[in-house]
Amino acid sequence: MDGTLERGGLAACPACVALPNVGDVAGGAAEKELLISLPEIHCAACIIGVERVLAAQPGVASARVNLTLKRATVEAEEAVQPGALVAALGAAGFKAQELDAGLLSSTEADKAGRDLLMRLAVAGFAMMNVMLLSVAVWSGAEGATRDLFHWISAAIAFPAVGFAARPFFASASVALKAGRLNMDVPITLAILLALGISLYETIHSGAHAYFDAALSLTFFLLAGRYLDFRTRAVARSAAEELAALEVPRAVRIVDGAEETVAVGELAVGDMVVVRPGGRMPVDGVIVEGASELDRALLTGETRPVVAAPGQQVSAGEVNLTGPLTLRVTAAGKDSSLHRMADLVAVAESAKNKYTSLADRAAGLYAPGVHILSALAGIGWYLGTMDARVALNIAAAVLIITCPCALGLAVPAVVTAASGKLFRKGLLIKDGTALERLSEVTHVIFDKTGTLTMGTPEPMNLCDIPERKKRLALSLAMGSAHPLAVALTGALRGEGVLPLPVEGLREVPGYGTEARCKGRVVRLGRAEWVGAEAGDETATWLSVAGEAPVAFTFADALRPGAAEAVAALKAAGCEVELLSGDAPSAVARFAAALGIDSYQAGVLPAEKAALVEALQAGGAKVLMVGDGLNDTAALAAAHASVSPATALDAARVASDIVLLGESVAPVAEAVTTARKAVKRIRENFQIATAYNVVAVPLAVAGMATPLVAALAMSASSITVSLNALRLR
Amino acid sequence: MEILVYLIPISLILGGIGLGAFWWAVRSRQFDDPEGDSQRILSDEWDDHPRP
């Protein structure tokens, strides 16, 4: 941005305009658009700060922050690397992450949203003008004036309905072609009948025309459609953004040289390097290197596993200490990660059988309305032998029963509820998720990564002598192993100072080693320092000639875990803990959180089977989990929640994503969902009550256009206000 | 009642102008970042030299 301003300043000298701008020539290379996620920006100062930092980077043409999406769009030269921009923002104190632009298909959604908004605006504009003219008619315009007003109304209403109501016409024609009835069929019929009858009446200078009813029907229903669209769009774009945060790349070795490629390009037999801290991109066999693997996401066990040449590794495992070279045995669709995702797809199709309250209501409603209006028409024809009166009555019945309130009831409540939950850090991915969540009776938690942070914390520091602590700190500082990092942080926090050591080196897969006053000191695996491995996660410190000392670790609890369990119990849910981890760790956590029933060492398939067994017994299960070992259970459960840090497959399988660190909002989600479903039911009751009053009026032939307009607006506004009570 | 000959077209034209303005605002992406726009107004930087 600054660049453009300067260029503009230069051009103030008239002669400069004719000269080719040096900057333009150099920047003539193709420009690309980069997307950067900025999860923590929240104010005007952040916007300006981020834009200033980005604009100051070489090669950046312009940068614009979108605070609503918490995202920056940067136009830059082809050579600019997103990593450099992220680093510059990090240095300026803004947390930033690269986004994979290929995975964000927001333009499609933008177009659909703008399209709906325009139709809504046109319907609103036409409705207001026609209402204005109708008020004159209702208040007593007669003869030629009334006919003139009706003709003007018709001139406005026909093109406006033709444009604004097209989504309903399209959906109704699709349903009719397939031989089904949906909500849009009575809507379309009511709109078309209202327009046709009104035109007929206008030509024959009749007293009643329903142009305003046709338009306000379109307007209110479009409002419901638009709300529905907004909720889905927000959820979808946030879910896409989560997926786009992980740019899947791998380092491949070709003829001894390393190159970075997309994971999709890897083939069986390729050699891939995985650095410490990296996630395995594919299934493979270790060819070279020694390290430790974190399998928590796959199996739920927190203790690292030794990795040596010849060993099989699965996609999704994290390499901890040393670099590993793998030979790819299964890539892309064949990898274990993908096979698990296929399992999820199967389980999801079972979940799709759930019909929402709105669909069930529509199934009863659409045929009922048609039968009622046909009966009214036939009855009046038999009574008066006047086809014009009979058709008028039939149209009035259809218009008055038309589901303004029903069309608004569910979207308004779901929008209000998901907006409320979004502010608490919960993302509802599916419209029916709230309804399913409200029925939950059992809550099953996974331990590692869900109730715990997945990061260890030292437990027994107070039992260890000061000198050993100082030695351990000097050794731990030399390693990036998660246990060492946790130990360094905890010891630093206690104010422990490191002892001077010599020749510090890391032995990948084992630990760190150094010399202190001529004696060898080691920090690492039990077998390596000559100790007996125990049941708990631990790292051992040995000083030559002294007995080894163990530093035991436990996973840190996620904030809000205890609150969530207590609140769920208060809400009347049974809470259970299922974990793939060792029994002692699981038992300790269950006790700390107040969970009475727990199972340890559960295999992924067993988790899903347990969930299915519970549901077969009539329970409705809410599964909360994050790992690959939970995905099948997440998909099988009635409703499911996963944290944003979960593996992609788990997030895809779950209905709700937890955006923050705390799990406390899970309990809130259940109570809010129950409230939301209560509001939806109330709205249906309001709509029914209004029909009970209005339909007899219409059948009796007393529904004048004024009565229809009043009744329709009143019911729509009531259900919207009722939905707003949720906020 | 001759006044209607003026009043009705005027009301339609005014409404039409409003609709056109809304259409233009939607098309020029002014509803893309409502939160950011409400914050940007607080910045001192752009009051005198609005950015493109």
Side-chain angles (χ1 to χ4, degrees):
Chain A
M1 285 272 179
D2 286 340
T4 20
L5 279 182
E6 274 164 31
R7 247 176 259 164
L10 273 178
C13 144
C16 298
V17 183
L19 288 172
N21 195 313
V22 184
D24 280 349
V25 173
E31 291 207 335
K32 62 175 176 181
E33 214 178 58
L34 297 171
L35 291 177
I36 292 172
S37 166
L38 302 152
E40 283 172 7
I41 58 167
H42 59 275
C43 64
C46 306
I47 298 178
I48 297 157
V50 169
E51 285 181 354
R52 205 177 275 155
V53 169
L54 287 174
Q57 297 303 306
V60 171
S62 75
R64 173 106 189 161
V65 171
N66 185 328
L67 187 65
T68 316
L69 298 171
K70 295 198 188 293
R71 193 185 289 172
T73 312
V74 183
E75 274 171 26
E77 286 162 24
E78 202 59 54
V80 174
Q81 285 302 314
L85 300 181
V86 168
L89 285 173
F94 299 104
K95 196 176 159 196
Q97 252 171 313
E98 180 193 353
L99 283 173
D100 188 345
L103 285 175
L104 292 169
S105 57
S106 55
T107 41
E108 267 307 293
D110 279 0
K111 228 179 115 202
R114 255 182 264 159
D115 190 59
L116 262 180
L117 199 59
M118 264 328 290
R119 291 182 203 277
L120 186 63
V122 167
F125 157 79
M127 178 182 82
M128 284 183 194
N129 279 289
V130 172
M131 280 273 183
L132 215 63
L133 297 167
S134 302
V135 169
V137 176
W138 297 336
S139 55
E142 291 274 323
T145 322
R146 185 186 61 205
D147 284 353
L148 174 71
F149 282 4
H150 279 168
W151 276 115
I152 298 173
S153 301
I156 301 170
F158 272 88
V161 167
F163 173 69
R166 254 210 333 250
F168 303 116
F169 298 161
S171 154
S173 82
V174 168
L176 284 179
K177 264 180 204 151
R180 287 182 294 114
L181 273 184
N182 65 3
M183 202 78 140
D184 289 331
V185 176
I187 292 169
T188 303
L189 198 63
I191 292 175
L192 291 179
L193 254 182
L195 283 181
I197 295 262
S198 305
L199 187 66
Y200 181 85
E201 290 287 317
T202 307
I203 292 170
H204 293 88
S205 73
H208 297 318
Y210 292 98
F211 292 116
D212 63 302
L215 282 166
S216 50
L217 200 61
T218 316
F219 176 77
F220 284 125
L221 289 169
L222 275 173
R225 265 322 127 92
Y226 185 67
L227 282 181
D228 200 39
F229 169 82
R230 287 294 314 163
T231 330
R232 275 165 213 261
V234 166
R236 225 219 13 242
S237 80
E240 272 178 359
E241 185 157 325
L242 280 175
L245 278 175
E246 296 166 6
V247 183
R249 295 213 178 96
V251 180
R252 180 166 65 183
I253 302 185
V254 178
D255 302 330
E258 291 185 356
E259 58 175 18
T260 307
V261 294
V263 166
E265 286 177 33
L266 291 177
V268 173
D270 279 351
M271 293 298 209
V272 179
V273 176
V274 183
R275 303 231 153 73
R279 193 172 279 180
M280 304 293 162
V282 287
D283 292 359
V285 177
I286 301 175
V287 180
E288 203 186 312
S291 177
E292 282 176 295
L293 298 177
D294 178 359
R295 289 197 160 146
L297 276 178
L298 274 84
T299 60
E301 61 182 305
T302 42
R303 238 176 326 157
V305 181
V306 189
Q311 192 178 333
Q312 285 275 350
V313 293
S314 304
E317 294 175 349
V318 179
N319 182 11
L320 291 177
T321 42
L324 290 175
T325 309
L326 312 178
R327 196 179 62 244
V328 179
T329 55
K333 288 207 157 50
D334 303 320
S335 73
S336 48
L337 210 63
H338 235 276
R339 268 181 279 134
M340 197 59 98
D342 292 345
L343 247 179
V344 170
V346 173
E348 280 210 319
S349 64
K351 206 187 265 183
N352 282 342
K353 286 192 195 125
Y354 184 87
T355 32
S356 69
L357 282 170
D359 289 344
R360 268 181 273 164
L364 288 173
Y365 182 89
V369 168
H370 288 143
I371 293 167
L372 192 65
S373 120
L375 284 181
I378 293 168
W380 273 83
Y381 183 71
L382 292 179
T384 62
M385 291 317 252
D386 185 346
R388 184 173 158 191
V389 172
L391 213 55
N392 251 317
I393 300 288
V397 171
L398 257 186
I399 293 168
I400 265 216
T401 51
C402 237
C404 291
L406 273 184
L408 267 174
V410 179
V413 172
V414 171
T415 307
S418 56
K420 182 181 174 184
L421 289 176
F422 189 70
R423 281 192 294 278
K424 305 258 181 205
L426 282 159
L427 182 68
I428 312 280
K429 277 171 52 195
D430 190 342
T432 63
L434 277 175
E435 289 173 28
R436 282 185 274 120
L437 198 59
S438 70
E439 298 169 354
V440 156
T441 56
H442 283 62
V443 184
I444 296 183
F445 282 103
D446 164 54
K447 183 178 77 73
T448 318
T450 306
L451 284 179
T452 69
M453 296 293 292
T455 52
E457 246 178 32
M459 299 290 288
N460 64 339
L461 285 184
C462 44
D463 308 336
I464 290 167
E466 184 70 19
R467 202 181 73 86
K468 295 251 157 126
K469 278 197 219 173
R470 295 182 64 184
L471 255 182
L473 177 58
S474 347
L475 287 165
M477 277 160 57
S479 169
H481 190 283
L483 293 186
V485 171
L487 191 58
T488 311
L491 289 172
R492 280 256 170 82
E494 280 192 2
V496 176
L497 292 172
L499 276 177
V501 290
E502 294 153 15
L504 183 71
R505 67 186 184 103
E506 184 165 20
V507 185
Y510 296 99
T512 47
E513 191 181 59
R515 300 181 77 80
C516 177
K517 293 175 189 158
R519 289 201 289 179
V520 174
V521 285
R522 281 175 166 179
L523 180 76
R525 301 185 70 83
E527 310 87 78
W528 188 52
V529 301
E532 192 91 349
D535 198 24
E536 286 183 324
T537 310
T539 184
W540 294 75
L541 175 75
S542 76
V543 181
E546 289 175 34
V549 183
F551 290 84
T552 55
F553 290 85
D555 220 345
L557 268 187
R558 224 176 232 273
E563 288 94 321
V565 170
L568 283 170
K569 277 186 170 172
C573 297
E574 301 269 339
V575 182
E576 267 183 66
L577 185 66
L578 287 186
S579 175
D581 207 359
S584 60
V586 178
R588 195 171 57 232
F589 268 100
L593 290 173
I595 301 175
D596 310 318
S597 103
Y598 59 87
Q599 286 188 46
V602 190
L603 296 173
E606 288 175 0
K607 276 195 185 180
L610 278 166
V611 169
E612 271 161 14
L614 264 177
Q615 298 202 134
K620 305 274 189 198
V621 175
L622 168 66
M623 176 77 204
V624 190
D626 77 321
L628 201 55
N629 55 335
D630 304 314
T631 31
L634 285 170
H638 195 56
S640 46
V641 180
S642 69
T645 50
L647 212 59
D648 206 25
R651 277 197 318 248
V652 170
S654 53
D655 305 311
I656 297 167
V657 176
L658 204 55
L659 297 172
E661 266 191 356
S662 167
V663 277
V666 171
E668 193 129 11
V670 174
T671 48
T672 306
R674 286 186 183 167
K675 258 188 236 157
V677 170
K678 209 173 128 208
R679 293 275 171 279
I680 291 177
R681 287 183 195 281
E682 276 171 16
N683 278 352
F684 284 164
Q685 283 159 11
I686 292 171
T688 314
Y690 139 87
N691 272 343
V692 165
V693 176
V695 170
L697 280 180
V699 173
M702 285 153 70
T704 60
L706 173 62
V707 172
L710 283 179
M712 233 152 50
S713 316
S715 76
S716 293
I717 291 168
T718 327
V719 293
S720 308
L721 289 180
N722 190 39
L724 282 181
R725 278 169 57 206
L726 253 182
R727 291 175 78 88
Chain B
M1 288 305 254
E2 290 78 38
I3 193 73
L4 284 178
V5 178
Y6 300 104
L7 285 183
I8 291 173
I10 287 174
S11 85
L12 286 180
I13 289 168
L14 285 180
I17 290 172
L19 188 64
F22 182 71
W23 182 76
W24 169 78
V26 170
R27 282 297 298 267
S28 60
R29 323 196 65 141
Q30 297 196 23
F31 294 99
D32 279 10
D33 184 14
E35 262 177 63
D37 291 339
S38 67
Q39 294 283 347
R40 273 171 207 272
I41 202 169
L42 300 173
S43 144
D44 324 327
E45 238 178 53
W46 300 320
D47 273 1
D48 300 329
H49 313 282
R51 296 206 173 183

